[in-house]
Amino acid sequence: MAIRKKSTKSPPVLSHEFVLQNHADIVSCVAMVFLLGLMFEENYISDPTILWRAYPHNLMTFQMKFFYISQLAYWLHAFPELYFQKTKKEDIPRQLVYIGLYLFHIAGAYLLNLNHLGLVLLVLHYFVEFLFHISRLFYFSNEKYQKGFSLWAVLFVLGRLLTLILSVLTVGFGLARAENQKLDFSTGNFNVLAVRIAVLASICVTQAFMMWKFINFQLRRWREHSAFQAPAVKKKPTVTKGRSSKKGTENGVNGTLTSNVADSPRNKKEKSS
């Protein structure tokens, strides 16, 4: 989720170099449009009970199966891409975790026949990522366009909250009340307590991990922004007036008479006279 600053002039739009540098952003935008043509076709918005009704969902339409296969292929190709793009060694572990989380959840939804829930959660996640990539494209064209990142930050938190709500609603309530709760590999039924707990635990841990990374990222940006705009505070030297200092020296501390002044020869002379 880091915002990379361009060091040189951006290449022309739709040029070969532009596509190579921003192909992940472009693919995310295209995938978002494909996910939405698919959401409306499956009627997930009008009837949310499809997420758990008639489980196991081992019968998929061509569009949904193509989507899952293309997603698995895309994230698998990201491994050799790290080598061909000459990724820095210090960035490779972070990228491996990022790619591994995608593969783990997409493959898990596909193999456990939770493809309906997986599709909806991916739509939520990709919609937030879609806004982030759009904001980056505007930012690369002109660094003044940064308002999109503020909107992305709000939607990122809301996306994590909606993901947890839908996951608990589907796995914790919908599938938990289903009649068929028997492990059956032949029919693809994995609706048992152990699997439901594992699914919810993996989703909750992943969302917590993403929120932790997001909070650290925002705090780091806030510190950098504050350090950049904070003016340098210079201490002004203390200036004392010569007259008051001289007077204070003659009359004692803070202008009060001391015993030396009271017993001066002039005062003694006046007393004797």
Side-chain angles (χ1 to χ4, degrees):
M1 296 182 295
I3 303 174
R4 298 172 299 175
K5 290 188 177 181
K6 53 183 180 180
S7 57
T8 58
K9 187 177 180 180
S10 300
V13 180
L14 298 181
S15 64
H16 181 68
E17 186 180 358
F18 178 86
V19 174
L20 287 178
Q21 291 182 1
N22 304 287
H23 76 283
D25 302 333
I26 297 172
V27 170
S28 298
C29 297
V30 174
M32 190 63 231
V33 176
F34 181 78
L35 276 173
L36 288 176
L38 190 56
M39 281 280 294
F40 284 102
E41 184 178 350
E42 297 292 334
N43 296 324
Y44 290 113
I45 299 177
S46 60
D47 189 9
T49 60
I50 297 178
L51 296 177
W52 62 83
R53 194 178 63 216
Y55 178 85
H57 306 141
N58 46 14
L59 296 178
M60 292 187 290
T61 60
F62 171 78
Q63 293 89 341
M64 184 177 292
K65 193 156 190 173
F66 177 77
F67 166 73
Y68 273 98
I69 293 176
S70 62
Q71 284 295 300
L72 291 173
Y74 174 79
W75 290 109
L76 283 173
H77 108 283
F79 287 115
E81 187 182 19
L82 296 177
Y83 171 77
F84 290 112
Q85 285 194 344
K86 298 180 180 179
T87 306
K88 297 180 180 180
K89 292 183 178 180
E90 57 269 20
D91 294 336
I92 290 180
R94 178 176 57 85
Q95 292 292 334
L96 291 177
V97 172
Y98 184 73
I99 297 169
L101 286 175
Y102 272 104
L103 285 174
F104 176 76
H105 288 86
I106 295 174
Y110 182 77
L111 296 175
L112 296 177
N113 292 321
L114 293 171
N115 42 69
H116 292 180
L117 176 64
L119 177 64
V120 174
L121 296 185
L122 283 174
V123 167
L124 286 175
H125 179 73
Y126 281 156
F127 178 75
V128 178
E129 292 295 301
F130 169 76
L131 179 61
F132 177 72
H133 291 301
I134 288 292
S135 301
R136 286 211 314 175
L137 291 176
F138 278 107
Y139 177 76
F140 289 158
S141 62
N142 191 340
E143 293 185 357
K144 295 181 180 179
Y145 298 143
Q146 298 188 15
K147 294 183 179 179
F149 293 115
S150 301
L151 179 60
W152 162 75
V154 175
L155 292 180
F156 184 89
V157 178
L158 293 178
R160 308 285 70 78
L161 181 61
L162 287 175
T163 298
L164 291 176
I165 292 175
L166 288 175
S167 301
V168 173
L169 183 64
T170 302
V171 181
F173 291 95
L175 294 180
R177 296 180 179 180
E179 296 180 359
N180 189 5
Q181 297 191 17
K182 184 179 180 180
L183 185 63
D184 191 352
F185 292 98
S186 61
T187 60
N189 186 13
F190 299 94
N191 187 15
V192 293
L193 180 61
V195 175
R196 292 199 301 268
I197 292 177
V199 170
L200 282 178
S202 63
I203 293 176
C204 292
V205 170
T206 303
Q207 300 308 306
F209 173 75
M210 294 175 66
M211 278 301 303
W212 178 70
K213 298 287 289 184
F214 173 79
I215 292 173
N216 286 337
F217 171 70
Q218 294 295 333
L219 289 177
R220 185 170 63 251
R221 284 191 62 196
W222 179 76
R223 292 194 200 100
E224 293 175 355
H225 183 73
S226 300
F228 179 76
Q229 291 194 349
V233 179
K234 296 183 179 180
K235 293 184 179 180
K236 295 182 179 180
T238 305
V239 180
T240 56
K241 295 182 180 180
R243 185 176 179 181
S244 60
S245 303
K246 185 177 180 181
K247 184 178 180 180
T249 305
E250 293 176 351
N251 296 338
V253 181
N254 295 329
T256 58
L257 294 176
T258 60
S259 58
N260 293 332
V261 177
D263 297 336
S264 60
R266 184 178 179 181
N267 293 335
K268 290 181 179 179
K269 185 177 182 182
E270 289 177 354
K271 289 179 180 180
S272 60
S273 63

